[in-house]
Amino acid sequence: MAYIEFKDVNKSFGDNHVLKNINLSVEKDSFVTLLGSSGCGKTTLLRSFAGLEGIEGGKIMLGGEDITNKHPRERNVSMIFQHYSLFPTMTVYNNIAYGLKIKKLSKDKIKEEVKAALEAVELLDKMKSYPSQLSGGEQQRVAIARSIVTRPKVLLLDEPFNAIDAKLRKELQLKIKEIHKKYGMTSIMVTHDQDEAMTMSDTIHFFKNGNIEQSGSPLDLYMNPRTSYVASFMGNYNIYQPEIFSKITSGKYSGSKTTAFRPEALSISDINKEKAQGEVYNFSGEILDIIPQQNVARFIVGVGDSKIFADTIIDQLSKFKKGQMVNLSIGKNKILYY
Ligand SMILES: Nc1ncnc2c1ncn2[C@@H]1O[C@H](COP(=O)(O)OP(=O)(O)OP(=O)(O)O)[C@@H](O)[C@H]1O
Ligand SMILES: [Mg+2]
């Protein structure tokens, strides 16, 4: 049996059926992500697990125990919220110590645990500061320290890096994973950022309209998205209706299915070079734009009225220029059909 199980979980707000018979299992010590667009029910699912939201059918199990009707405090679950939720009138130390005081630990023990948590997020020197004296990233690190200090069995993270700049975001992602391992926690994170989900997760559950559309490893979701909606979320797939892809391929494609392929699955070459042979589709177009993205160069190529994304490693960037005509080819076995 899995460590955490949602069984036929339903939840509505008025006539808005937000969680539609959710069945989801989470293995012990794993890091899982709920990925999906705004309003699809991610926060509601986390809140229902934490006991902050009642459910209307189904049950929630933790370590073999039915916790559906347990008080939030009895669940041994800690949540980092989508919006900062530090106590503004308490110092960093007291913010973190709060949960331990409620548990009536000794003063010395509290001191020891708070220091360990602050060390984990590298904020020992800010112990006496107030939240308003900290940057957004520092506040979020305090929120992390506060949620791990009670050594919860399960850590819930609701878009924990929302207001944080890209560099610090990367650092905090690694930090959280490190803490997750070190403290031996099972973690469920909510995000709408596919890169973040890919970086951090053992398993991703892709949410759409209160249903789980697909579950799997990051690589699995990336390589084998089950629907074009998942494909559009994962890895910037090029997705075309059948008649559009037929136009792109000058009629070579005559199927009736929507086609999807990843930008890095395309080959790009100078228009004067020989075209690729074999089981491929070739098409030519003009480079409309070139966008460097970390170690990848993304070419936006106009083919007829359509735009196609083609990625290469970054050192290919200088080989091509904006306005240049190029050949693109895609292996037929690289195309997914929906
Ligand atoms: N307390 C509430 N009362 C009424 N409706 C609510 C309440 N909380 C959430 N909802 C509705 O439930 C749906 C799901 O909300 P939820 O917060 O779970 O979405 P989400 O996936 O976390 O979105 P986001 O990515 O924007 O945070 C939305 O339509 C929202 O308006
Ligand atoms: Mg949310």
Side-chain angles (χ1 to χ4, degrees), residues 152-163:
K153 287 184 189 162
V154 181
L155 182 64
L156 306 175
L157 305 120
D158 194 358
E159 311 216 23
F161 313 115
N162 244 358

Side-chain angles (χ1 to χ4, degrees), residues 120-163:
V121 297
E122 294 170 45
L123 276 182
L124 260 182
D125 55 329
K126 299 284 184 188
M127 200 152 67
K128 292 181 181 153
S129 304
Y130 286 89
S132 62
Q133 297 169 313
L134 302 177
S135 72
E138 287 166 345
Q139 287 182 47
Q140 200 58 331
R141 273 144 76 194
V142 175
I144 295 168
R146 190 177 63 174
S147 61
I148 58 170
V149 77
T150 52
R151 311 251 168 179
K153 287 184 189 162
V154 181
L155 182 64
L156 306 175
L157 305 120
D158 194 358
E159 311 216 23
F161 313 115
N162 244 358

Side-chain angles (χ1 to χ4, degrees), residues 79-88 95 131 134-144 146 158-165 168 172:
M79 183 152 168
I80 299 178
F81 292 91
Q82 196 163 2
H83 305 287
Y84 302 139
S85 52
L86 300 177
F87 305 118
N95 259 286
L134 302 177
S135 72
E138 287 166 345
Q139 287 182 47
Q140 200 58 331
R141 273 144 76 194
V142 175
I144 295 168
R146 190 177 63 174
D158 194 358
E159 311 216 23
F161 313 115
N162 244 358
I164 293 171
D165 69 66
L168 187 61
L172 274 180

Side-chain angles (χ1 to χ4, degrees), residues 79-124:
M79 183 152 168
I80 299 178
F81 292 91
Q82 196 163 2
H83 305 287
Y84 302 139
S85 52
L86 300 177
F87 305 118
T89 56
M90 288 186 197
T91 61
V92 165
Y93 183 93
N94 285 328
N95 259 286
I96 299 170
Y98 184 80
L100 300 175
K101 285 180 185 162
I102 285 178
K103 283 189 160 184
K104 301 205 171 6
L105 266 60
S106 73
K107 251 194 168 159
D108 285 347
K109 186 69 186 159
I110 291 177
K111 209 172 190 176
E112 186 187 317
E113 293 292 332
V114 172
K115 280 196 167 160
L118 275 172
E119 218 158 47
V121 297
E122 294 170 45
L123 276 182
L124 260 182

Side-chain angles (χ1 to χ4, degrees), residues 247-265:
K247 259 193 193 167
I248 289 173
T249 57
S250 309
K252 296 261 164 40
Y253 176 71
S254 55
S256 57
K257 294 199 163 171
T258 295
T259 54
F261 45 94
R262 283 171 288 112
E264 77 273 19

Side-chain angles (χ1 to χ4, degrees), residues 230-277:
V230 179
S232 70
F233 233 83
M234 306 295 297
N236 299 294
Y237 271 77
N238 291 294
I239 302 174
Y240 303 100
Q241 300 292 320
E243 58 279 11
I244 303 290
F245 194 58
S246 173
K247 259 193 193 167
I248 289 173
T249 57
S250 309
K252 296 261 164 40
Y253 176 71
S254 55
S256 57
K257 294 199 163 171
T258 295
T259 54
F261 45 94
R262 283 171 288 112
E264 77 273 19
L266 285 152
S267 300
I268 179 167
S269 61
D270 188 273
I271 190 88
N272 299 317
K273 290 240 172 89
E274 206 181 317
K275 287 183 180 163
Q277 302 290 316

